[in-house]
Amino acid sequence: MDMDGWMQPEQEQMAQYAEAFYGLAGLFQRLPCQKERLSEEELRVLFEDVKERVCVKCRKEKECWGGACFSNCRVLYECLREMERSGAFSSEQEQYLRRSCSRPGQMALALQAGYEEARNNLLWSNRMLEQRQAAGEQIYQTAELLRHTAQSFADASGMEQRVAKKLRRELQYLNVALDDIRAFAREPDKTEYYLTVHAANRSALPGGAIWKEYLAPRLGKRASVVSARSVAEVLSDSCGEKMCPAPDCRAGVTDAPMIFHFVPDAHYQLFCGVARVTKTGEMVSGDNYTLLQKDNGKVIMSLADGMGSGVEANQESEKVIELLEQFLMAGFPQETAVRLINSCMLLQNGRQIFSTIDLCMIDLYNAKCDMIKFGAAASFLIDEKEIEVIRSGALPPGVMQQSNYESLHRTLRPGASIVMMTDGVTDALGGENREQAMAELIIRTKTRNAQEYARRLMERVYLAQKRQARDDMTILIGTIFERKQSRSWNG
């Protein structure tokens, strides 16, 4: 919002989108709740159906469904409740029914058939409500992201005006003209800049005569090349914070106006390694993984273990990884991303194939590590010679409506390593205390090179199985180091 309280056009548009999605999500939230038991109306319909099947030809129909209707319905109701608890019609229930019915065997069969039909209808109704609630959760989370984006524009609007004037003047000495500047505060303390710049005529700029007489002859061809890193240095001086080109930024400035993306320089770097072994006899692994670095300085390490092995397990874990990449790269928080994936898995129309999620996100600015485990195998955090086992008792996504994941937050010290693995790795060691055995093996194998670390660890696990993998195995390792050249920027 500007000084007069007006929203920027893009901020206002995003806010309107968010409100629309909030309203739509509200409609889904007002849907009826799922039911655990049959309603009184459903029981009445069930009794009427039983009456049509069994009692219509019975000579005692008028007696049972007349004056003794209340007591007989109570007997049937008790039989149904017992059936709900035990799941079948027992001999004790039949004896109980025999006291009030002259055809107890037929009545028991009719009750069980009617109950199973009504129960199936209830399950399908709950399934539909569950899917609608999942869709409502997705819409709500989209509204949350749009609201956050609108706020990000507002937080950064003042920075543009403060930086633009000084930046435009300083860039002139690099033969670069600033056409436009946009700031975006993706997070409160991390402002990103998008500069639209192009190469200008040096002789027309302030100091052009000095450039033409002294600098240009000495630089030769290099005089016409201005790198994105040079622009980042000028931007750093203008905004008072060390900036660097984003991973997707262009390399150098040309005569045509182009957009350059700059982000705050990170204080840490993460080196990653991966090792994989496919189950013996299978062509493809049921495990999938991803390693991503976002523009906001966060590195994503994630593993997905499909249920079973082979092509179907691979397809399921691959789907989970692709969704995770899309949600996280779009800017969704990791908690929101896993909830959305859980909703997507619930909308699979009854498919009983699942995949675990093991997600680790490391912030390279402050070395904070956020981990989410959704039915995944244990992970290990190694700091010097100490090791922490990170376990999960949650079910895989898609099993329950509520996202039953477990999260953990840590701050890493330089040299610390995170070892993530699928359950095929821990199961390979055998014995009762597999996690303790794996922790000892990790300590003995540790090296500063993450890729070599993963390779050596997998080799030892594979040898423990005599090179016959009983399940797909994947190890993912990340080791964090401090960037010595990264220091606070004083202008």
Side-chain angles (χ1 to χ4, degrees):
M1 214 173 266
D2 61 21
M3 294 179 64
D4 298 324
W6 292 95
M7 288 186 177
Q8 299 181 58
E10 59 269 35
Q11 180 194 356
E12 183 177 9
Q13 189 67 57
M14 285 288 181
Q16 290 174 353
Y17 286 151
E19 288 302 316
F21 277 97
Y22 277 129
L24 186 57
L27 295 177
F28 283 88
Q29 291 171 350
R30 290 192 290 271
L31 289 171
C33 297
Q34 298 181 46
K35 297 186 297 183
E36 295 183 3
R37 290 187 170 186
L38 300 178
S39 66
E40 293 298 325
E41 177 62 23
E42 288 167 330
L43 286 174
R44 188 190 65 79
V45 172
L46 173 57
F47 290 161
E48 287 293 329
D49 181 60
V50 170
K51 178 181 175 182
E52 288 293 324
R53 292 185 186 186
V54 180
C55 303
V56 69
K57 296 180 182 179
C58 180
R59 57 186 175 81
K60 291 187 176 182
E61 177 191 0
K62 291 184 179 179
E63 179 183 340
C64 293
W65 295 98
C69 178
F70 179 78
S71 60
N72 288 334
C73 283
R74 182 176 180 181
V75 171
L76 297 180
Y77 180 83
E78 290 298 327
C79 289
L80 286 173
R81 287 294 175 245
E82 182 60 30
M83 198 183 302
E84 280 187 329
R85 289 189 288 269
S86 62
F89 208 93
S90 64
S91 58
E92 290 80 4
Q93 289 174 294
E94 190 170 341
Q95 289 293 330
Y96 180 62
L97 187 61
R98 192 182 298 276
R99 300 172 190 171
S100 58
C101 180
S102 60
R103 307 172 75 180
Q106 292 175 311
M107 180 61 75
L109 291 174
L111 269 176
Q112 186 162 359
Y115 170 75
E116 288 176 355
E117 182 179 349
R119 188 67 182 172
N120 286 334
N121 290 336
L122 177 65
L123 292 175
W124 276 110
S125 176
N126 282 343
R127 183 69 179 178
M128 291 178 65
L129 288 172
E130 192 176 60
Q131 291 179 344
R132 290 173 182 173
Q133 290 168 355
E137 172 74 7
Q138 292 180 340
I139 294 171
Y140 178 81
Q141 296 300 337
T142 301
E144 285 282 284
L145 179 64
L146 292 172
R147 181 192 61 80
H148 174 74
T149 304
Q151 186 60 43
S152 297
F153 282 117
D155 293 342
S157 60
M159 293 295 296
E160 295 174 2
Q161 301 175 6
R162 289 193 291 271
V163 173
K165 185 175 181 180
K166 182 177 182 180
L167 179 62
R168 182 172 282 108
R169 182 177 64 250
E170 296 296 329
L171 283 177
Q172 289 178 345
Y173 294 97
L174 286 180
N175 186 32
V176 174
L178 177 64
D179 299 310
D180 188 30
I181 177 173
R182 301 307 305 267
F184 184 71
R186 199 184 304 267
E187 296 181 26
D189 57 342
K190 297 174 186 174
T191 303
E192 303 174 21
Y193 292 91
Y194 293 84
L195 307 183
T196 304
V197 297
H198 69 276
N201 181 4
R202 289 190 187 275
S203 59
L205 296 174
I210 298 175
W211 167 265
K212 193 172 184 179
E213 183 175 354
Y214 296 103
L215 296 180
R218 291 171 172 77
L219 294 176
K221 291 183 178 181
R222 291 180 296 167
S224 60
V225 178
V226 179
S227 68
R229 289 200 170 275
S230 298
V231 177
E233 291 179 5
V234 177
L235 177 61
S236 301
D237 182 62
S238 299
C239 68
E241 181 180 6
K242 179 65 175 176
M243 306 296 292
C244 67
D248 62 347
C249 188
R250 303 174 188 276
V253 180
T254 64
D255 293 336
M258 292 185 178
I259 298 176
F260 289 75
H261 182 196
F262 299 96
V263 297
D265 198 11
H267 300 290
Y268 299 89
Q269 54 188 341
L270 188 77
F271 293 98
C272 298
V274 62
R276 309 178 72 191
V277 171
T278 302
K279 180 181 178 180
T280 300
E282 295 287 356
M283 298 297 294
V284 296
S285 173
D287 303 341
N288 271 286
Y289 72 96
T290 187
L291 292 170
L292 294 173
Q293 180 166 353
K294 299 176 65 179
D295 292 339
N296 61 357
K298 292 184 178 179
V299 177
I300 300 163
M301 301 169 56
S302 184
L303 274 175
D305 183 1
M307 186 177 68
S309 60
V311 175
E312 283 195 344
N314 176 271
Q315 291 174 345
E316 201 65 20
S317 62
E318 184 178 40
K319 181 194 304 179
V320 167
I321 286 294
E322 287 177 353
L323 286 171
L324 194 60
E325 288 179 348
Q326 290 169 4
F327 287 137
L328 293 175
M329 293 307 291
F332 285 94
Q334 57 182 358
E335 291 85 359
T336 301
V338 296
R339 284 199 295 268
L340 289 174
I341 290 175
N342 187 60
S343 299
C344 291
M345 302 296 281
L346 285 168
L347 293 170
Q348 292 188 112
N349 295 321
R351 291 185 63 197
Q352 297 300 310
I353 300 177
F354 306 105
S355 174
T356 65
I357 297 177
D358 200 356
L359 174 62
C360 178
M361 186 178 289
I362 301 167
D363 193 327
L364 298 183
Y365 292 102
N366 52 28
K368 289 184 178 179
C369 175
D370 300 317
M371 288 171 275
I372 288 182
K373 303 186 79 63
F374 214 150
S379 297
F380 301 84
L381 179 58
I382 304 98
D383 190 350
E384 295 180 350
K385 291 188 178 181
E386 297 180 359
I387 186 164
E388 178 182 1
V389 182
I390 302 164
R391 302 177 178 87
S392 169
L395 294 171
V399 177
M400 301 180 66
Q401 168 65 33
Q402 296 298 323
S403 303
N404 189 28
Y405 61 84
E406 298 178 10
S407 59
L408 185 72
H409 310 282
R410 294 287 185 271
T411 299
L412 306 179
R413 290 188 290 187
S417 295
I418 298 168
V419 181
M420 303 166 64
M421 61 188 65
T422 55
D423 59 5
V425 180
T426 51
D427 292 346
L429 297 185
E432 294 183 1
N433 202 343
R434 301 172 185 175
E435 292 176 0
Q436 181 62 34
M438 179 59 68
E440 294 173 359
L441 186 61
I442 287 171
I443 290 292
R444 293 200 306 268
T445 311
K446 183 169 172 42
T447 177
R448 291 174 62 87
N449 186 306
Q451 181 57 47
E452 183 66 14
Y453 193 177
R455 187 194 66 78
R456 290 183 186 179
L457 184 58
M458 179 63 79
E459 187 176 72
R460 294 188 176 188
V461 172
Y462 194 36
L463 287 172
Q465 296 186 94
K466 299 180 180 178
R467 298 189 179 275
Q468 292 292 318
R470 295 187 292 269
D471 194 4
D472 301 314
M473 299 188 294
T474 303
I475 296 175
L476 197 57
I477 296 180
T479 303
I480 192 168
F481 295 99
E482 188 174 7
R483 295 179 63 179
K484 299 300 183 182
Q485 71 274 22
S486 182
R487 293 289 184 267
S488 59
W489 184 256
N490 298 318

